[in-house]
Amino acid sequence: MSNPDTQAVKNYLLALQDSICKKLEAEDGGAVFVDDIWEREINPDKPGMTGGGYTRLLVNGNVIEQGGVNFSHVFGEKMPASATAHRPELAGRSFQAMGVSLVIHPKNPLIPTSHANVRFFIAEKEGEEPVWWFGGGYDLTPYYGYEEDCIAWHKTAQDACQPFGKDVYPRFKSWCDEYFYLKHRDEQRGIGGLFFDDLNKWGFEKSFKFLQSVGDSYCDAYLPIVAKRKKLVYTEIQREFQLYRRGRYVEYNLVYDRGTLFGLQSGGRTESILMSMPPLVKWKYNWKPEANSEEDRLYKYFLKPRDWVTI
Amino acid sequence: MSNPDTQAVKNYLLALQDSICKKLEAEDGGAVFVDDIWEREINPDKPGMTGGGYTRLLVNGNVIEQGGVNFSHVFGEKMPASATAHRPELAGRSFQAMGVSLVIHPKNPLIPTSHANVRFFIAEKEGEEPVWWFGGGYDLTPYYGYEEDCIAWHKTAQDACQPFGKDVYPRFKSWCDEYFYLKHRDEQRGIGGLFFDDLNKWGFEKSFKFLQSVGDSYCDAYLPIVAKRKKLVYTEIQREFQLYRRGRYVEYNLVYDRGTLFGLQSGGRTESILMSMPPLVKWKYNWKPEANSEEDRLYKYFLKPRDWVTI
């Protein structure tokens, strides 16, 4: 098995961040991304953790109310105990983690929120084979459902997986449905997409190619939807519903999302992690959509795991 | 040791809920509390859990933007495994939990948000002594600090503790500071107050009297502050800061608060648990207060554990 080319992954991730930001700016047509380069603060609870990141944020655009595209690369001298409990072979190893993570919150409630993440992890030890894996995916969270958008989103995801085997899309699509689920609401966060983790069985070359296929297809999946929906006029009621539904995004990320919780607990950079929070959110006690309304249809039809590609 | 009088606790809690709601309505002078009686939904993951609650909510008042005062009483046939890992003597027992929990989010950012909770837990088994304890407390979350309010709040808390021993207030005050701490922000949630749990060492009579002293003193601690600050005119900047700081309330409750997380994970009634969420919230990437501003002073002076009663 060839050794993983960490530098190649890093180069890809930085180029991906740049290309996604450029395409989003072009689609927005108003604001541009503002850059924030940060170094990991020294955390006395986690000695030997260093690194930094490159956070890019667009606010108050024509289309995007807030969008964050974050690159980070952190190093640890020693794997944290919590991470090695189930993988004792990693205990005592040094590690690196790098990734691009993004969340786009459009202003218009007829455009869905989207999230994407691609990441690489490697644990090393002098004189031993490195242990590494890739993870990532993307998922879509509409406020108003359009069947054709869901189909197109999933077809693009399927196309990105196709060269790697027929079973890849259905497996990572199901994983996504399982992952983005709010147990306390018995609701899906959105209409899903792809989610994968611990990917190394294909060897480095093929696994890295898959990561690139996922990363490169995100804009192909999302931007056509943005382009189509951004022209639609929305009502105050639709905007209210979006602000209310954004509460579910907050609940999911703070209660369940492993990346968010691991980041916050391990002394990650809070502002970059919580860039995923929507800029404006409402909670309403016991609010329920009117029967047979479009809002009701979102819950009953769209926020259910569904086979969108053979519909 | 006298057996605990569960019915007396329940009667007290219901009367407390009623009296707090009446006083808050009087102070608000606009809206009234709307009642919502619920029964615990059958949860297939938690067989044998029953009970219900009495949720009271005031929205869009003159003073209170949203305030929820919730009573609940739930029963379980068997202690959940997670709760008996550290207390094996409770394994296999049936239990009851009851309490009043409230969060008040005023409109005016010069009035602090407040939270209070009083609760009683009892685990029973035929032929054995029941195991029971009380818990609770209250804490204050200002957006703009007024020293005199913090002192008055803590003096009232101290007075409520005084008859039970000189060490009670300092102990439960420190516990509150430790509990309402956002590790990922290295910030206190507010200026504290009281927090206690597992209280039974005084025996039932005295412990219950203490619970009443805490419950009864909440309005004495909070309402004078509301009365004083509600007349003040606030600026748009102050309102913006309040909406931003409310994000910390959300972060705390969803990431750390044991009551919230236990409730959500154990199949509690989501809408009653998340009644604590503020009605409107903003997140802003990497926002920092201007040096020496009032907002800056909140962080640097007020949101630090401080001995307010001997200031």
Side-chain angles (χ1 to χ4, degrees), chain A residues 258-299:
Chain A
R258 274 176 248 151
T260 302
L261 295 178
F262 174 80
L264 295 179
Q265 283 158 10
S266 69
R269 185 175 184 256
T270 295
E271 289 295 339
S272 297
I273 297 164
L274 296 185
M275 213 171 55
S276 63
M277 295 291 105
L280 187 66
V281 188
K282 286 193 175 182
W283 271 272
K284 293 175 200 191
Y285 173 76
N286 219 10
W287 186 86
K288 299 227 165 67
E290 222 174 282
N292 303 317
S293 63
E294 280 204 73
E295 292 79 12
D296 191 37
R297 195 165 140 76
L298 179 82
Y299 290 78

Side-chain angles (χ1 to χ4, degrees), chain A residues 36 38 45 55 57 66 183-185 243-244 248 250-251 254-256 261 264-265 269-272 274-275 277-287, chain B residues 36 38 45 55 57 66 183-185 243-244 248 250-251 254-256 261 264-265 269-272 274-275 277-287:
Chain A
D36 196 0
W38 53 274
D45 295 345
T55 290
L57 192 80
Q66 183 179 299
K183 190 166 187 275
H184 67 281
R185 300 281 189 183
L243 299 184
Y244 171 76
R248 301 294 208 271
V250 174
E251 291 174 23
L254 296 182
V255 176
Y256 301 102
L261 295 178
L264 295 179
Q265 283 158 10
R269 185 175 184 256
T270 295
E271 289 295 339
S272 297
L274 296 185
M275 213 171 55
M277 295 291 105
L280 187 66
V281 188
K282 286 193 175 182
W283 271 272
K284 293 175 200 191
Y285 173 76
N286 219 10
W287 186 86
Chain B
D36 197 359
W38 52 274
D45 295 344
T55 289
L57 192 82
Q66 183 179 299
K183 189 164 188 277
H184 67 282
R185 299 282 188 182
L243 298 184
Y244 171 76
R248 301 294 207 271
V250 174
E251 290 174 23
L254 296 183
V255 176
Y256 301 102
L261 296 178
L264 295 180
Q265 284 158 9
R269 185 174 184 257
T270 295
E271 288 296 338
S272 297
L274 295 184
M275 213 171 54
M277 293 292 106
L280 187 66
V281 187
K282 285 192 176 182
W283 271 272
K284 294 177 198 192
Y285 174 75
N286 220 10
W287 187 87

Side-chain angles (χ1 to χ4, degrees), chain A residues 48-284:
Chain A
M49 291 277 270
T50 55
Y54 185 27
T55 290
R56 306 192 66 185
L57 192 80
L58 187 156
V59 286
N60 294 326
N62 287 344
V63 177
I64 298 171
E65 189 171 338
Q66 183 179 299
V69 184
N70 191 38
F71 167 82
S72 70
H73 185 190
V74 298
F75 305 82
E77 278 174 18
K78 235 171 113 180
M79 291 285 291
S82 62
T84 59
H86 296 285
R87 301 193 67 164
E89 76 276 18
L90 301 183
R93 285 181 176 236
S94 68
F95 69 94
Q96 296 180 47
M98 57 175 83
V100 168
S101 185
L102 69 89
V103 175
I104 309 301
H105 290 290
K107 179 96 196 276
N108 186 329
L110 305 176
I111 312 175
T113 285
S114 74
H115 159 253
N117 172 239
V118 279
R119 58 188 181 271
F120 177 63
F121 193 96
I122 180 164
E124 291 166 294
K125 193 176 181 179
E126 184 93 17
E128 298 200 21
E129 286 276 298
V131 176
W132 57 267
W133 64 88
F134 290 99
Y138 45 70
D139 64 286
L140 193 73
T141 307
Y143 304 94
Y144 289 86
Y146 294 93
E147 229 172 17
E148 60 184 283
D149 293 354
C150 303
I151 295 168
W153 172 264
H154 276 277
K155 283 223 160 116
T156 306
Q158 187 184 38
D159 287 348
C161 297
Q162 200 60 34
F164 302 86
K166 265 202 147 162
D167 62 324
V168 176
Y169 167 74
R171 211 145 44 84
F172 294 168
K173 189 270 184 197
S174 298
W175 200 345
C176 190
D177 287 336
E178 277 156 39
Y179 187 77
F180 292 106
Y181 171 68
L182 287 85
K183 190 166 187 275
H184 67 281
R185 300 281 189 183
D186 188 19
E187 274 173 27
Q188 297 298 127
R189 181 167 89 170
I191 62 124
L194 299 172
F195 182 91
F196 64 99
D197 205 355
D198 302 313
L199 182 72
N200 62 14
K201 65 172 185 178
W202 292 333
F204 177 77
E205 291 295 328
K206 184 175 168 186
S207 300
F208 181 31
K209 279 217 173 80
F210 178 71
L211 188 85
Q212 293 174 69
S213 187
V214 170
D216 295 345
S217 65
Y218 162 73
C219 284
D220 298 337
Y222 188 50
L223 294 183
I225 297 173
V226 177
K228 199 183 290 181
R229 303 302 160 203
K230 73 180 182 185
K231 300 171 215 150
L232 302 180
V233 176
Y234 59 90
T235 66
E236 200 42 52
I237 287 172
Q238 290 171 327
R239 171 72 174 166
E240 277 289 299
F241 183 59
Q242 177 201 46
L243 299 184
Y244 171 76
R245 289 290 314 167
R246 281 178 176 177
R248 301 294 208 271
Y249 219 82
V250 174
E251 291 174 23
Y252 183 83
N253 283 13
L254 296 182
V255 176
Y256 301 102
D257 187 61
R258 274 176 248 151
T260 302
L261 295 178
F262 174 80
L264 295 179
Q265 283 158 10
S266 69
R269 185 175 184 256
T270 295
E271 289 295 339
S272 297
I273 297 164
L274 296 185
M275 213 171 55
S276 63
M277 295 291 105
L280 187 66
V281 188
K282 286 193 175 182
W283 271 272
K284 293 175 200 191

Side-chain angles (χ1 to χ4, degrees), chain B residues 229-240:
Chain B
R229 302 302 160 204
K230 73 180 182 185
K231 300 170 215 151
L232 301 179
V233 176
Y234 59 89
T235 66
E236 202 39 53
I237 288 172
Q238 290 171 328
R239 172 72 174 164
E240 277 290 297

Side-chain angles (χ1 to χ4, degrees), chain A residues 9-24:
Chain A
V9 178
K10 185 166 187 168
N11 293 345
Y12 168 71
L13 292 174
L14 284 166
L16 177 68
Q17 179 189 34
D18 196 52
S19 119
I20 289 175
C21 288
K22 283 205 177 95
K23 288 177 190 168
L24 286 167

